[in-house]
Amino acid sequence: MPALIFWLVVDFGLGAVILGAAIAFLEAAAMILNHVTTAGMWSLTAILMVTGAALLIIGQLVFERRRPAMIDNPAHLLIGPVFIAAKLVVALGFRHDLDIIVGKRHQASSR
């Protein structure tokens, strides 16, 4: 909850996108929980967290060829979801004010 509140305060629109995704993921988790034991759910949670962190680190080291920022400053983990939400809303054609932040160059039409 504190992270969701942080994202809503930083940018309400992007925070709402993240909140929507969080609700969908919580619904999926509730459905999974109905089919596994408590120990199974904790095991699955641990596996997913370790796998996610490993893939994040490997992705930045291999594909971006730079040291992951979260290693030096774990607070960067809070910025990642906002950046992904920003990329999503820009890709969908909303929030053109975020084009520069997410690295998309705004091209003026020559009409």
Side-chain angles (χ1 to χ4, degrees):
M1 287 303 292
L4 286 171
I5 293 168
F6 169 76
W7 292 321
L8 286 166
V9 169
V10 169
D11 186 302
F12 186 79
L14 296 178
V17 169
I18 296 169
L19 179 61
I23 291 170
F25 287 134
L26 286 172
E27 286 295 321
M31 286 190 282
I32 293 169
L33 186 57
N34 291 329
H35 296 24
V36 297
T37 64
T38 302
M41 190 64 174
W42 280 110
S43 298
L44 182 60
T45 300
I47 290 167
L48 290 173
M49 288 180 71
V50 169
T51 302
L55 288 174
L56 190 129
I57 291 170
I58 291 168
Q60 286 191 323
L61 289 174
V62 173
F63 297 107
E64 294 182 14
R65 288 187 171 78
R66 57 185 170 152
R67 182 181 167 97
M70 71 171 196
I71 291 175
D72 296 327
N73 186 354
H76 285 227
L77 290 171
L78 288 173
I79 303 304
V82 176
F83 184 74
I84 297 301
K87 287 183 81 82
L88 175 66
V89 297
V90 168
L92 292 174
F94 304 105
R95 298 287 307 267
H96 296 292
D97 58 315
L98 299 174
D99 284 350
I100 294 171
I101 296 169
V102 298
K104 182 178 177 184
R105 305 261 187 252
H106 183 70
Q107 298 176 354
S109 61
S110 57
R111 293 183 194 185

